């Protein structure tokens, strides 16, 4: 039997969702709200914004390697990622609140958030910070979120797959509607030039190309050697084995249910959606996703 940290810890009961400024939230993302709202961004902060399970950890690690891979490599091999990248809105008794961790980070501070655009502290755009948004197609996103909510035993009870899928379509999961999230950030990109909008599927298709695009957005020019090294380190299998990235020491996650680095694929939804669920999902999707300029790929 696999022993996880989880087996040895006393875990609080699963949380209940509540309405928070129009989206559903969990208390451990709202308890430090005043500090989050008043967060003072610095001009060189980089905000990594995503709907949960869209590739946050992947892109965070790429950014870390780009900024610290040469100057502070020991940092990346000795400290787990949740202590290197501040999760802005989190407050959890087992670790620093995101707002407090941010104060301890070296520059440029990498800060992650799952907040929809309307709830992000104004300070990031006032300071003209660079923002990297990562989006993932809704079908794979909901599958990944379902497995995550099953194994992160603080999260609200996921229920069975069918009821979870329906709740996802209704935006009744932590951080609310995927549809509103990806659209809200897409709109922000039209008026805020320092926002780089990336797609998980593009990263899977050609990681090197997407790292190049990211570097040109950030104004970085890593050497060919450095890029090759980064490319190797951020492959799914390498990240999955890396205990500083795979959340294996995270007390709330039961790895006997599912891994944090689970499959890392485009198209896993086909192993979960029935034909009827897929048809209903597509119909609903058409009604909600009206902007023809925002297109996702559910297979590559
Ligand atoms: S979280 O909890 O919101 O921060 O999760 P997040 O990191 O956004 O998303 C986790 C999913 O991303 C996959 N992942 C990767 N896929 C491909 N390549 C690499 N290197 C990689 N790293 C993480 C991870 O496996 C989760 O997706 P699923 O589909 O569940 O496997």
């Amino acid at each position: 039997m696999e022993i996880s940290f989880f087996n040895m810890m006393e875990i609080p009961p699963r949380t209940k969702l509540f309405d928070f400024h129009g989206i559903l939230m969990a208390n451990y993302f709202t308890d430090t709200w005043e500090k989050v709202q008043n967060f003072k961004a610095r001009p060189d902060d980089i905000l990594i914004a995503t709907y949960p399970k869209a590739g946050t950890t992947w892109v965070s690690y790429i950014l870390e390697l780009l900024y610290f891979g040469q100057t502070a490599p020991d940092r990346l091999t000795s400290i787990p990622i949740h202590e290197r990248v501040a999760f802005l809105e989190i407050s959890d008794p087992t670790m620093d609140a995101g707002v407090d961790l941010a104060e301890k980070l070296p520059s440029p501070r990498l800060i992650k958030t799952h907040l929809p655009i309307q709830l992000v502290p104004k300070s990031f755009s006032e300071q003209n910070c660079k923002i990297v948004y990562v989006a993932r197609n809704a079908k794979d996103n909901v599958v990944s979120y379902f497995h995550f909510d099953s194994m992160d035993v603080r999260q609200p009870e996921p229920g069975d797959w069918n009821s979870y899928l329906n709740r996802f379509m209704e935006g009744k999961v932590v951080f609310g509607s995927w549809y509103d999230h990806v659209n809200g950030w897409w709109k922000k990109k039209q008026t805020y030039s320092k926002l780089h909008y990336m797609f998980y599927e593009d990263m899977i298709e050609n990681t090197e190309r997407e790292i190049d695009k990211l570097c040109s957005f950030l104004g970085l020019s890593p050497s060919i050697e450095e890029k090759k090294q980064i490319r190797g380190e951020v492959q799914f299998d390498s990240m999955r084995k890396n205990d500083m990235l795979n959340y294996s020491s995270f007390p709330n996650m039961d790895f006997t249910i599912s891994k944090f680095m689970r499959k890392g694929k485009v198209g896993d939804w086909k192993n979960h959606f029935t034909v009827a669920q897929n048809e209903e999902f597509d119909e609903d999707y058409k009604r909600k996703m009206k902007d023809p300029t925002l297109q996702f790929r559910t297979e590559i």
Side-chain angles (χ1 to χ4, degrees):
M1 189 190 115
E2 189 167 346
I3 305 287
S4 71
F5 211 61
F6 166 80
N7 302 121
M8 300 180 279
M9 302 283 295
E10 187 123 330
I11 302 293
R14 283 181 177 271
T15 193
K16 294 255 181 290
L17 287 174
F18 56 91
D19 184 275
F20 186 74
H21 298 285
I23 62 162
L24 287 182
M25 280 293 251
N27 64 303
Y28 41 85
F29 293 128
T30 60
D31 282 351
T32 52
W33 192 244
E34 213 173 302
K35 280 185 171 179
V36 170
Q37 268 193 315
N38 296 324
F39 185 75
K40 287 195 175 26
R42 300 182 198 148
D44 63 346
D45 286 346
I46 297 175
L47 185 66
I48 305 148
T50 59
Y51 189 78
K53 314 321 288 179
T56 330
T57 315
W58 194 5
V59 170
S60 298
Y61 190 44
I62 293 171
L63 288 166
E64 288 195 292
L65 288 165
L66 285 168
Y67 283 104
F68 302 112
Q70 305 300 307
T71 53
D74 294 351
R75 209 183 133 66
L76 308 188
T77 50
S78 59
I79 305 173
I81 191 161
H82 62 268
E83 293 175 24
R84 306 188 312 239
V85 174
F87 188 173
L88 182 67
E89 58 272 17
I90 205 164
S91 60
D92 183 314
T94 65
M95 60 199 233
D96 276 336
V99 281
D100 297 331
L101 176 61
E103 297 310 319
K104 299 179 186 170
L105 294 181
S107 291
R109 302 188 298 183
L110 301 178
I111 300 171
K112 92 171 199 188
T113 184
H114 292 317
L115 292 171
I117 182 64
Q118 71 275 15
L119 296 184
V120 171
K122 297 278 168 287
S123 178
F124 287 100
S125 41
E126 284 164 4
Q127 293 297 326
N128 214 17
C129 296
K130 293 191 180 88
I131 303 177
V132 178
Y133 185 80
V134 192
R136 184 179 194 181
N137 82 75
K139 291 180 183 177
D140 284 321
N141 208 139
V142 60
V143 167
S144 182
Y145 211 174
F146 172 65
H147 288 287
F148 179 75
D149 281 358
S150 306
M151 63 85 95
D152 185 332
V153 297
R154 264 177 333 180
Q155 289 281 95
E157 189 59 55
D160 64 26
W161 162 244
N162 192 57
S163 67
Y164 191 86
L165 182 59
N166 279 304
R167 271 182 286 121
F168 178 88
M169 286 158 63
E170 291 165 14
K172 292 186 176 160
V173 289
V174 187
F175 291 103
S177 159
W178 174 93
Y179 311 86
D180 293 346
H181 207 282
V182 296
N183 275 300
W185 279 97
W186 184 252
K187 276 210 189 86
K188 175 76 178 173
K189 175 183 138 73
Q190 319 311 321
T191 56
Y192 188 74
S193 64
K194 288 215 173 165
L195 171 56
H196 183 61
Y197 200 105
M198 303 177 71
F199 294 92
Y200 180 93
E201 295 72 29
D202 293 347
M203 291 278 297
I204 291 279
E205 183 180 64
N206 191 335
T207 312
E208 208 167 317
R209 178 191 66 206
E210 296 307 310
I211 294 177
D212 281 345
K213 285 199 224 162
L214 184 60
C215 286
S216 96
F217 166 72
L218 298 167
L220 298 176
S221 349
S223 67
I224 294 178
E225 213 26 63
E226 202 181 323
K227 275 203 288 188
K228 201 172 145 207
Q229 191 195 338
I230 295 176
R231 172 74 190 90
E233 284 208 39
V234 304
Q235 279 178 9
F236 180 74
D237 289 338
S238 311
M239 286 186 59
R240 192 175 212 232
K241 279 188 235 137
N242 185 332
D243 287 343
M244 294 298 121
L245 297 173
N246 61 20
Y247 286 85
S248 53
S249 63
F250 218 70
N252 304 316
M253 296 182 188
D254 186 348
F255 282 73
T256 60
I257 297 176
S258 177
K259 301 278 188 275
F260 182 89
M261 302 283 174
R262 194 184 55 90
K263 284 204 175 165
K265 296 224 177 314
V266 179
D268 187 41
W269 62 270
K270 291 177 192 165
N271 299 316
H272 293 75
F273 282 62
T274 64
V275 172
Q277 284 168 344
N278 194 36
E279 282 171 6
E280 198 190 323
F281 192 91
D282 285 346
E283 275 305 306
D284 180 66
Y285 189 91
K286 267 188 242 149
R287 282 193 293 274
K288 289 177 176 144
M289 299 294 285
K290 295 273 188 223
D291 184 345
T293 65
L294 179 56
Q295 295 291 334
F296 285 87
R297 293 187 287 168
T298 53
E299 51 196 313
I300 52 172

